[in-house]
Structure formats: C-alpha cells, structure tokens
C-alpha cells in the first residue's frame, strides 16, 4: 500500500530547508547503506549525525506527528530520525530492500522498519528522472511528488530511484515502526479510520453509526497493537 500525504511542508518551509541544505557540505550516500545496497547506491547525503540534519529532521517529525493522515496510515510507535539525500545528474539507487532493523548511534533508538517514507524537497519539473519506483502486488508503481509532499510505502518492498538526467532530486527519507506490525491489519485499520472520518463528517461524531464504527476501530487496535 502506497499512501501519498500532501503538504507535510509548505512551499515556504521547503524553500527554507533547501536554502540551508544547498549551503551545506554533503557526503557519499553509501555511508548509510547496507552491504548489498551500497553496490547500487550512488548519491549524496547530509552527514547523518550533523547538526543540520538533526535540526531539520526534528522539524519534520514535529510536522508528521501532527498530521492526521500520517497517524492514520502509520499508527507510529517509533520514527527514525530523518535523513536527507541528493541525486545530481547520473546519480541513482538501484533495486534494493531497506534494512529490516535500523539503529541510531546518537539516541540509541533501534527500530524495526515497517514503513519507509520519502518527503520530496524538489519540484518535479526541476529535474528529469529520479522517480521512486516501488514493486507492489499490482506491478511497479512510480512516484514523483510535488515538493513538500510525502509518500509512505512498505519497507519490505523492493524499490529503486531512477537515474537523474537533469537537475537535482533532493528529499528526506526515514523509517517508521508501526504499532500494527501486520501490514494487512494496518491497511484494514487505515481504511476503517478513513471511513469513520467520512461518516463523522456526514452524520456527526455522536451518531450511533460513528460510535459503532469507532467501537470496531478501537477493538481492532487493541487486538493488533504492540506497545
């Protein structure tokens, strides 16, 4: 399941992020790749433990934890500190799968990667190529979103970033451990939550239909959550 979350950052916030990032020193992206991924990874990233990456990452976490669609889709338990990468002309990240466990040296946080997230920080018309392609049961899905928009997708999926042929693709990427480990259960809970929001908008929060659907939702959470 791929879920696009619009306007995580405003255009003004994206411009602020980019101004700081464009003036920073970048390093080889292979530093955070596993042994297999490093073979097909050719990009740059902000130093993961650097002050800038940490400050911008904290702002992203503040934004997404206040975003109802993100909370509904991810049901997050832990969010890995966001990282930042840049793909210039010729840069790419071939077909790979994300590491199942990620550890953060600064905080000691260690998570199971249930979901991967990419927050786009470049407008699609400013670069050619660079599509995020995720293999799904329905075929390969290509994603190239406006700056400030984010996509969530299963971390267990094979995926790639196509070679950039013009301009630069800049983004933030990170992982989420969900309270709902089972992806099928998480998808059903997400669909139910979206339906509840629709019923609430039409009938009101105190309508018996809303109350009964909420009863089912919370008991599904209770049955599947790991806290």
């Amino acid at each position: 399941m791929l879920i696009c979350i619009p306007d995580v950052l405003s255009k003004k916030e994206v411009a602020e992020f980019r101004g700081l990032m464009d003036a920073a020193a970048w390093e080889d992206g292979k530093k955070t790749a596993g042994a297999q991924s490093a073979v097909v990874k050719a990009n740059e990233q902000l130093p993961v433990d650097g002050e800038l990456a940490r400050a911008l990452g904290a702002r992203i976490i503040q934004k997404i934890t206040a975003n109802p669609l993100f909370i509904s889709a991810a049901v997050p338990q832990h969010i890995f500190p966001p990282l930042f990468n840049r793909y210039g002309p010729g840069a790419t990240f071939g077909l790979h799968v994300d590491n199942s466990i990620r550890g953060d040296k600064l905080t000691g946080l260690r998570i199971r990667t249930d979901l991967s997230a990419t927050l786009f920080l470049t407008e699609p018309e400013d670069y050619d190529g660079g599509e995020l392609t995720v293999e799904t049961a329905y075929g390969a899905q290509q994603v190239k979103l406006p700056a400030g928009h984010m996509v969530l997708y299963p971390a267990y999926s094979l995926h790639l970033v196509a070679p950039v042929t013009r301009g630069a693709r800049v983004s933030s990427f990170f992982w989420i451990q969900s309270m709902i480990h089972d992806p099928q259960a998480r998808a059903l809970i997400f669909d139910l939550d979206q339906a509840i929001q629709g019923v609430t908008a039409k009938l009101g929060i105190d309508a018996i239909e809303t109350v009964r659907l909420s009863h089912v939702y919370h008991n599904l959470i209770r049955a599947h959550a790991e806290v």
Side-chain angles (χ1 to χ4, degrees):
M1 183 171 65
L2 276 68
I3 299 173
C4 295
I5 303 177
D7 301 317
V8 172
L9 296 178
S10 68
K11 299 303 183 186
K12 181 179 179 181
E13 289 169 325
V14 169
E16 182 184 352
F17 272 49
R18 286 297 307 278
L20 295 168
M21 295 169 70
D22 291 347
W26 295 71
E27 62 183 14
D28 191 337
K30 293 182 188 296
K31 286 192 173 184
T32 57
Q36 190 176 60
S37 295
V39 177
V40 294
K41 186 176 186 181
N43 64 9
E44 298 176 295
Q45 64 188 29
L46 289 181
V48 297
D49 296 333
E51 183 177 341
L52 180 59
R54 292 289 165 159
L56 296 181
R59 290 178 61 180
I60 290 172
I61 290 177
Q62 183 179 39
K63 284 285 186 177
I64 60 176
T65 52
N67 186 298
L69 182 57
F70 172 79
I71 297 300
S72 178
V75 196
Q77 183 174 28
H78 299 298
I79 302 172
F80 197 82
L83 308 178
F84 299 85
N85 58 21
R86 180 172 66 185
Y87 292 79
T92 185
F93 198 166
L95 192 66
H96 66 284
V97 64
D98 291 339
N99 290 346
S100 55
I101 303 294
R102 301 289 307 201
D104 180 51
K105 291 187 296 184
L106 286 186
T107 63
L109 177 67
R110 188 174 177 84
I111 74 166
R112 180 189 64 234
T113 57
D114 295 325
L115 293 163
S116 296
T118 296
L119 172 60
F120 291 81
L121 298 172
T122 311
E123 297 295 352
E125 62 270 20
D126 291 341
Y127 63 102
D128 293 332
E131 295 85 0
L132 171 66
T133 301
V134 183
E135 291 192 1
T136 75
Y138 306 101
Q141 305 292 311
Q142 288 192 336
V143 185
K144 190 173 183 178
L145 299 179
H149 290 34
M150 187 173 80
V151 62
L152 284 175
Y153 58 97
Y156 58 76
S157 301
L158 285 169
H159 57 281
L160 61 85
V161 175
V164 170
T165 59
R166 178 188 64 86
R169 174 196 190 270
V170 181
S171 63
S172 176
F173 63 103
F174 53 98
W175 301 273
I176 301 99
Q177 179 173 324
S178 177
M179 291 185 189
I180 313 300
H181 185 200
D182 184 341
Q184 290 184 320
R186 193 186 319 122
L188 288 172
I189 288 169
F190 172 68
D191 287 343
L192 178 58
D193 187 42
Q194 295 302 294
I196 291 171
Q197 292 184 40
V199 171
T200 301
K202 290 183 178 180
L203 302 180
I205 197 169
D206 57 347
I208 187 60
E209 293 86 352
T210 307
V211 174
R212 290 193 180 280
L213 285 173
S214 297
H215 167 259
V216 175
Y217 172 82
H218 285 289
N219 279 317
L220 280 174
I221 294 282
R222 187 174 287 111
H224 291 282
E226 302 173 0
V227 295

